[in-house]
Amino acid sequence: MIYVKVYGRGNAGPETHRLESFPSAIGRALDNAIIVNDKSVSAKHAVVERTSGGYALRDLGSTNGISENGKRAETIDLRQTKSVRIGNVWFEFSNSEDPVEETVRVDIHELASGGSWPHAKGWLVCGGLVLTALLVRYLDYAFLRVSFTAHALLTKSLSFVMAAAGLAAAAAVFSKVHRRRYQFYPLFATVLGFSIVGDLHFTLFNLVAFNLNSPLAAKVLDEFVGGAVVFTGGLLLGKLLFPETPPRRRAAFILTGIVAVTGATYGLRAVNERAQIPDIDTTLALPLRSFPPEEHGLDRLDAEIDTLETSIAEARREILKKEAERGNESTR
Amino acid sequence: MLARLGFLFAFSVSTAVSAQAPESPALPALSSPGHAVYQKVGPMVFKVKTAISADSPKASYGTGFAVAAKGLLVTNYHVVADAVLQPRQNKIFVVMDKESVPARILGIDVLRDLALLKIDREFPKFLRFASGAPRQGEPIYSIGEPEDLNMAIVVGTYNGELRYGAYAMIHMSSPINSGMSGGPTVNSRAEIVGVNVSKNAFSDSLSFAVPARFARELLEKGRGRETPGTGELLEEMGGQLHAVQDELAADYLAAAAGAQSFGAWRLARASSLLKCWSQKEEDEGDGKYESTRQSCQLPHSSYVSNRLHSGTYSIELDAIDGRRLKPLPFFTLLNSRFGNDARPTDGLVLFGEPGPQLLTRQFCFSRIAANRAGLKFKVAYCSRGYVKFEGLRDASISAASLTPPPHGLLLQLDLRGFSVSNIKKILDATLNSIGTGT
C-alpha cells in the first residue's frame, strides 16, 4: 500500500490518496487513479508499479517528466519515503500513513536553483529582465543625468546579485518554515520587474515634469501611477509568497498597506507644514512649450504675493488672538 | 569639567586677593592703568538679570552701567529682550550689593541692541561719555561679568568703527565673553567709548561694541520720560525695524540700477554694504559643466530674539555653463540645484518651539514669470510674517532661469524683516535686471 500526498498550487493543504491496486496512473486525464489538474502535468504522466522489493514510479513519456532532487528520472524507487516532482506539482510517496518529519518534501537546493520554472526558462527570463533593467538605467543616464558612469551600472548589477542571493535565502527559509515550495525564478523576476518599472517611472516623471510644467500631472503620475505599480507588484508578490491566502484578502491587505503608507506620508507633510516647512513645487520646466510672456509678467508674481499676504495676515491675527486669550487667563 | 571649575575658582580667588592689593600704597597707580580704570569704573557697573521675581534664579543676565544720577543705566537690548517679548514671565533686576533692584525700560534702540533702564535709586557717581573716538591702536577697557563669575576688566585695542548703513560697530581686539554684554568699554580716562555687545565666535579676541553716541542719543531721548508700556516699546522697535529695512531697500535698489556681469549673465550690481565671496568650479560632473557661485550678505542684523534676527539680507547666485550637456541633463542639473536651495531656511521643528511665537508659519507659492527682457524664470517664494511687528516679513525667494541651454542662472534671495512693498520692489528689480550677454 502506498500513501500519496499531492501538494497542489494554491491548496490549503496536501490532498492525501491511498493506492491499493497497482499499477496506478497519475495524470491530468479523468481515468487516472490520481487526477492532477495542472497544466504542467500530462494526461497520462506517470505510473506507480509494484517491483520486486516494493514500489516504483515510472515516467510514461510525459512532457515535463518526473524528478527527484531536481534531477529528471525515468523511474524513481519508492521503497523509502520520497518527495517527487511531477511536472510542477509536488508529491510525497510513503509506505506509512504518517511520514516522519525529516522527509520534508521540499528540497532546498532545488528551490534556490530551480523552483518550478525550469532552469532554461528561469535563466532566460531573469537574464533578459536584468539586461532590460540595465538598459533602462543606461537610458536614464544617457538622456537625463548629467554624467554617465560605469560605476552606476555596476552598482545596479551588484544590487541584482544581492537581491537574488537574498531572495534565494528567503525562499529557502520560507520553504522550510511553511513546508511549502517557494519559487525562486518568479520571485526574482518580480523584483526585476519592480526595478524596471521604478526606473521608468522616475524617468517618465522627470520628462513630464519638465515638459508639461504641470505640477498636477506630475503629482498624478507620482501618486497614482506609483500607487498602481506598487499595487500590481504587491499582488504578484503576494500570490507567490502567500498562495494559500484568498486573493481578495491579499488584495485588501496590500491596498490597506498602500493607503496606510500614503496616509502616513501626508500626515508627516502636514506636521512639517505646521512646523513652517510647506511644500513648494521646485520642478523646473523645459522650455519646449512656449509661454506667452504677457501671462507671466512680474506683476503676476506681485499678485501671488498679495494672495499670500492675506494668509499671513490671517495667521498673524490668529496668533495674536490666542496670545490675548492666554494673557486673560493668566491675569484672572 | 571639575578641572575647569577648579581653575575658575582659583581664578576668582586670585582676583579677590588682588582686589585688596591696591589698598597698599606700594604700587603707584600710573604703572597699572587697567587697575586705575577699574577702580573708577567698577562701582558704576552692575549685573543686570531677568527673572520671574527678585529671589528667583535668573533667566538671562548681562551687565549694565550707570549713565545718569537719577537711576538710569544703559545695557544691551538682548540682555533684557525676554522682558520685552514675554513681560509676564520676565522682570528686570539690577543687582546692587547682592540685592536685586527692580528696573524698568525707558527706551530701546533695537538696531544697535541698546536699552535704557531706570531703577528707583540715585547713583552717587555715573559714567561720562567720551567726546570723541579713540585713535586706532589705543588701549580700551571693557568691563562686565563674564560667565556669571565676578566683575572683570579686559584690556583691548580700538580698531576703528565699521559701518553698514544704519548699522555701526566698534571693532575691538579684546577677549570679552558672554555675560559682559551691556557693560561699558571705556578709554584710559574712564570715559564711555562704547557698549560691549558681541564677539566673533569663530575667531579669537575679535569683539564688537556699540559706539557710545547711540547710547547717548538713547539717554537724551529717554531722560525724564514716563515709563512706557510693553506695547509702546514694541511699537517703537517696529518703527526702527521699518526704518532700517527702508534704508536697506533703498540702498539695494540704488545699487541694482547699475549692472554687473556674472558668468554669461548681466544682472543687478550688489550693494557695497554686502560682504561677498565667489568661487568658480570648472569641472563639475566629469568636466561637463562649469559653475560660478557668488554669495553676498549684510554682515549685520538687528537682534530681536535669539531666534529672530531682522533687518538683514543675503543673496546667492550660481551661474551654470553647461556647454557639454544635452538639454535634458542640463535641466535635470538645474532642477536638482533649484530644489536644494528653495527650501525655507528654518529647520524642522516637530514639537513646537519654546518661547514666544514671533513669526507666523511659512506660506509659499511657486510660479513661472518672465521679466521685461522676456527671460523666463521659475520662482519659488516663501514668506512669514512678524507677529509683534506689523507689516514686516521674512521672505525666501529662489529663482531659476528657464532659458535654453547652455547657460543657467540660479538665484537665492533671503530678506529678513522687510515690508511687502520693499520685497516686491527688490524682487522685481532683481529679476528685471537679469539679461544675457556681458
Side-chain angles (χ1 to χ4, degrees), chain B residues 176-438:
Chain B
I176 65 170
N177 279 300
S178 55
M180 295 179 77
S181 283
T185 289
V186 297
N187 58 21
S188 38
R189 289 186 299 279
E191 298 163 334
I192 309 165
V193 171
V195 182
N196 310 333
V197 65
S198 63
K199 62 171 179 177
N200 186 319
F202 308 106
S203 308
D204 290 323
S205 302
L206 176 52
S207 319
F208 304 102
V210 184
R213 62 175 186 281
F214 297 112
R216 182 189 249 162
E217 277 169 28
L218 188 65
L219 172 65
E220 295 314 324
K221 261 190 256 167
R223 202 196 284 274
R225 179 184 182 184
E226 284 288 308
T227 308
T230 310
E232 200 178 324
L233 285 174
L234 285 171
E235 210 164 288
E236 276 177 28
M237 287 165 67
Q240 292 161 6
L241 293 173
H242 268 284
V244 77
Q245 62 89 27
D246 268 334
E247 192 184 308
L248 290 173
D251 168 72
Y252 183 99
L253 296 171
Q260 65 164 323
S261 73
F262 180 71
W265 302 86
R266 270 171 64 81
L267 45 83
R269 205 174 37 161
S271 154
S272 56
L273 301 182
L274 301 175
K275 294 270 184 209
C276 297
W277 295 87
S278 77
Q279 199 179 0
K280 184 167 183 178
E281 283 166 36
E282 296 197 332
D283 17 82
E284 299 216 18
D286 299 335
K288 290 205 173 148
Y289 67 94
E290 289 178 4
S291 155
T292 313
R293 294 179 207 208
Q294 178 181 305
S295 151
C296 297
Q297 70 181 91
L298 190 72
H300 206 291
S301 62
S302 299
Y303 177 101
V304 175
S305 88
N306 51 13
R307 275 173 296 112
L308 180 58
H309 292 247
S310 180
T312 191
Y313 67 95
S314 66
I315 180 162
E316 277 170 41
L317 298 166
D318 188 354
I320 290 166
D321 180 345
R323 236 165 285 179
R324 296 180 60 201
L325 286 177
K326 292 183 194 78
L328 221 41
F330 174 81
F331 272 91
T332 318
L333 170 69
L334 218 58
N335 194 45
S336 66
R337 295 220 173 179
F338 182 57
N340 284 341
D341 291 343
R343 292 278 109 193
T345 42
D346 265 17
L348 176 71
V349 188
L350 276 176
F351 302 105
E353 38 187 281
Q357 192 168 1
L358 299 174
L359 294 166
T360 66
R361 69 178 183 83
Q362 298 238 29
F363 291 88
C364 296
F365 71 82
S366 47
R367 145 161 220 130
I368 288 175
N371 72 2
R372 212 178 289 148
L375 295 178
K376 278 166 285 197
F377 298 92
K378 174 99 173 211
V379 178
Y381 178 103
C382 284
S383 177
R384 52 192 179 180
Y386 285 48
V387 173
K388 309 256 180 199
F389 311 113
E390 191 164 12
L392 292 182
R393 304 279 179 265
D394 279 353
S396 163
I397 304 159
S398 299
S401 63
L402 296 178
T403 47
H407 295 296
L409 181 70
L410 294 157
L411 181 147
Q412 169 79 32
L413 189 59
D414 263 303
L415 302 165
R416 307 251 156 185
F418 280 73
S419 71
V420 184
S421 64
N422 278 333
I423 292 172
K424 283 182 185 166
K425 277 184 211 157
I426 288 173
L427 179 58
D428 285 8
T430 310
L431 291 182
N432 270 331
S433 75
I434 299 171
T436 47
T438 43

Side-chain angles (χ1 to χ4, degrees), chain A residues 17-77:
Chain A
H17 299 266
R18 195 169 63 181
L19 299 181
E20 284 168 329
S21 61
F22 300 94
S24 288
I26 298 171
R28 217 168 54 203
L30 292 175
D31 57 347
N32 288 297
I34 298 176
I35 303 157
V36 186
N37 188 15
D38 192 292
K39 271 184 277 178
S40 65
V41 177
S42 301
K44 277 262 189 243
H45 200 115
V47 64
V48 180
E49 297 168 326
R50 199 184 276 279
T51 59
S52 51
Y55 303 95
L57 180 71
R58 184 165 58 85
D59 190 2
L60 292 175
S62 65
T63 319
N64 292 321
I66 59 175
S67 52
E68 182 189 3
N69 292 338
K71 280 180 197 136
R72 194 161 168 167
E74 267 310 306
T75 53
I76 295 170
D77 184 17

Side-chain angles (χ1 to χ4, degrees), chain A residues 143-145 147 207 213 271-272 275-276 278 280-287 296 302 304 306 309 316 330, chain B residues 88 286 328-329 331-332 335 338 348-350 362 364 366-370 378 386-387 393 402 420 424 428:
Chain A
F143 290 108
L144 270 172
R145 308 303 170 92
S147 58
L207 283 172
N213 179 36
V271 171
N272 275 0
Q276 320 193 336
I280 12 172
D281 171 41
T282 54
T283 39
L284 301 178
L286 194 64
H296 293 278
D302 289 356
E304 292 270 12
D306 289 336
E309 277 302 312
R316 180 171 177 265
S330 65
Chain B
R88 281 195 302 277
D286 299 335
L328 221 41
F331 272 91
T332 318
N335 194 45
F338 182 57
L348 176 71
V349 188
L350 276 176
Q362 298 238 29
C364 296
S366 47
R367 145 161 220 130
I368 288 175
K378 174 99 173 211
Y386 285 48
V387 173
R393 304 279 179 265
L402 296 178
V420 184
K424 283 182 185 166
D428 285 8

